[in-house]
Amino acid sequence: MKAELTNKFFEKYGQQATAHYFTPGRVNLIGEHIDYNGGLVMPCAVTLGTWLIMAPNNDNVIRFKSLNFEETAEIELQPSYTKTGSEWFNYPLGVFNEISKTHTIPTGLDLLFFGNIPIGSGLSSSASIEVTMAYALNDYFNLGYEKIEIPLLAQKVENEFIGVNCGIMDQFAVAFGETDKAIVLSCDTLKYKIVDCNLDGYSLAIINTNKPRKLAESKYNERVSECQTALEQINQEIKLNNLCELNAEKFALHSHLITDETVLKRATHVVKENDRVNLAAKALNEGNLQEFGRLMYASHQSLKDLYEVTGEELDAVVDFCTDYEHVIGARMTGAGFGGCAIALLKKGQEDDFAKQLTDFYAARIGYNPAIYISEIGNGASAI
């Protein structure tokens, strides 16, 4: 891949690249819709991601080109930058804007991006682009950012420059990922621990439902509001900052305060899902993949029945996986209402899995899914 991209860079710019970087996408293995409730998430980096090939120029401009998009941009170096439209290059441009608040970029740059993360699938292609740009500028110009500052900077770009009110999980996971490791991250405190995640004969199958995610944003905001209502009602008796300060036992003592049945279902998912992350970390530490897979299925069932964010497409994928003997765990990952599911698939069964799942899904849904096989990979790095 590096040699091929180096050749593409020369074709585009007529000069040799001087630096190469890669930042992965991510999946969340378990711990869904609890990040905004102060809970634990368990993301890992995947081997799909974003490559950035670059070289300085003497023209005092930043040139943005991609092998995935036709749009290009040539922007003069300046103290600040403004988002224009919705083109892909706004994501790396936002990084230049944020870094330029405290540092001077000393030379123009020719940039070529390539990614193999499915766009709009929920695997964090935007975080991957932002982090790889921030990592590259920090490394290339020796700007002095600590590792933890890179995802925080990228999140700020997403929030303030792009205008998407995301949490820290995506940027953190793609920056801190390690091969055969998962990250248990507290979204409340940013404390984290790395846990072994040796899949031991299994691969991570990523199944894109290919469903347009038109409902995701409005339903997401609705769920956030419902959780806030649950928290306010429980706080009539005790004082909490977020729902995930409760475990299932403590929740049972106070759940009578939640008067709406739907709100109670949402809160029940949040508390039990947070507990599942701790159980999943324990299972991985003990090398018990069967138990980890069981918890994945339990997570999906809760997201379906209690949180109601799956939809027929994601449920079709997980229903197939439940009956397919070479899968030991599967669940939706991300916001839901489309996007992706993940499955722990026995190695050697990839072709059979893809064929049978595609036939099953097409018969039930009416069009094909897209299936990717990944390992658990490293975070942002120079290559």
Side-chain angles (χ1 to χ4, degrees):
M1 179 66 76
K2 183 177 178 180
E4 183 180 348
L5 293 175
T6 299
N7 291 336
K8 290 288 186 183
F9 185 90
F10 187 81
E11 289 177 19
K12 297 283 186 183
Y13 287 114
Q15 67 161 326
Q16 296 294 337
T18 57
H20 303 72
Y21 298 93
F22 174 79
T23 297
R26 69 97 188 97
V27 295
N28 191 27
L29 293 171
I30 198 165
E32 214 66 75
H33 277 281
I34 56 175
D35 53 340
Y36 50 85
N37 289 295
L40 299 171
V41 292
M42 189 188 283
C44 68
V46 295
T47 45
L48 306 171
T50 303
W51 285 261
L52 168 58
I53 308 95
M54 55 189 266
N57 65 55
N58 297 319
D59 302 321
N60 209 44
V61 297
I62 314 163
R63 296 188 179 98
F64 297 95
K65 295 183 179 182
S66 169
L67 298 180
N68 301 95
F69 304 100
E70 291 183 3
E71 299 90 355
T72 64
E74 183 172 308
I75 299 170
E76 285 192 16
L77 280 175
Q78 49 198 283
S80 65
Y81 304 87
T82 303
K83 179 188 174 189
T84 55
S86 58
E87 285 82 8
W88 68 272
F89 51 76
N90 283 293
Y91 293 95
L93 183 64
V95 175
F96 277 91
N97 181 66
E98 191 61 35
I99 286 178
S100 294
K101 293 176 181 178
T102 52
H103 296 80
T104 299
I105 303 300
T107 180
L109 290 168
D110 292 343
L111 307 171
L112 180 63
F113 290 83
F114 169 71
N116 60 0
I117 304 171
I119 304 299
S121 63
L123 302 186
S124 298
S125 56
S126 61
S128 182
I129 292 172
E130 291 156 353
V131 168
T132 203
M133 190 74 259
Y135 185 96
L137 291 176
N138 186 50
D139 179 73
Y140 197 76
F141 294 117
N142 196 26
L143 299 180
Y145 286 100
E146 298 292 331
K147 187 175 182 180
I148 187 61
E149 294 179 282
I150 297 295
L152 290 170
L153 185 152
Q155 182 199 15
K156 194 172 183 183
V157 170
E158 189 85 29
N159 293 166
E160 298 179 5
F161 194 84
I162 302 300
V164 175
N165 190 26
C166 69
I168 188 62
M169 177 180 73
D170 295 355
Q171 290 82 4
F172 196 97
V174 303
F176 277 77
E178 296 181 24
T179 299
D180 293 335
K181 307 284 185 183
I183 304 167
V184 178
L185 171 67
S186 167
C187 295
D188 184 34
T189 65
L190 290 192
K191 291 182 179 177
Y192 70 97
K193 59 182 178 180
I194 304 294
V195 296
D196 287 333
C197 193
N198 185 346
L199 297 183
D200 190 28
Y202 288 83
S203 294
L204 195 61
I206 302 168
I207 305 99
N208 188 353
T209 63
N210 284 332
K211 179 190 178 183
R213 299 173 67 195
K214 295 176 182 176
L215 290 176
E217 187 172 340
S218 62
K219 293 293 186 182
Y220 178 91
N221 292 337
E222 186 179 284
R223 296 300 181 275
V224 172
S225 177
E226 288 164 342
C227 291
Q228 188 60 38
T229 298
L231 180 64
E232 289 169 0
Q233 292 180 345
I234 287 176
N235 274 347
Q236 295 171 44
E237 277 187 358
I238 56 176
K239 294 303 176 187
L240 303 171
N241 292 316
N242 56 66
L243 285 176
C244 286
E245 291 175 34
L246 295 168
N247 58 24
E249 185 178 350
K250 290 181 181 177
F251 178 65
L253 297 175
H254 304 286
S255 60
H256 64 277
L257 294 164
I258 301 175
T259 55
D260 182 273
E261 183 178 346
T262 297
V263 172
L264 178 61
K265 286 164 64 177
R266 307 298 188 244
T268 301
H269 164 77
V270 166
V271 172
K272 290 188 174 181
E273 182 78 350
N274 197 55
D275 286 349
R276 271 190 288 271
V277 177
N278 285 315
L279 292 171
K282 181 175 183 288
L284 287 177
N285 282 328
E286 294 172 353
N288 189 345
L289 276 184
Q290 296 292 330
E291 172 63 7
F292 185 75
R294 186 193 70 77
L295 290 164
M296 291 175 70
Y297 281 129
S299 172
H300 185 87
Q301 199 66 38
S302 180
L303 288 157
K304 176 184 177 182
D305 296 338
L306 298 179
Y307 223 68
E308 298 179 276
V309 292
T310 59
E312 61 178 345
E313 295 82 6
L314 288 163
D315 290 340
V317 172
V318 175
D319 287 349
F320 172 83
C321 290
T322 303
D323 293 330
Y324 186 77
E325 63 176 326
H326 302 297
V327 168
I328 59 170
R331 61 183 292 275
M332 60 156 274
T333 186
F337 306 105
C340 286
I342 54 173
L344 296 182
L345 172 67
K346 189 173 183 180
K347 288 184 176 179
Q349 302 300 320
E350 293 85 357
D351 291 343
D352 181 70
F353 174 80
K355 182 182 185 309
Q356 289 204 42
L357 172 56
T358 298
D359 291 345
F360 177 92
Y361 185 88
R364 186 153 142 183
I365 302 300
Y367 53 86
N368 290 349
I371 299 163
Y372 307 86
I373 304 299
S374 178
E375 304 297 321
I376 296 177
N378 270 322
S381 63
I383 54 175

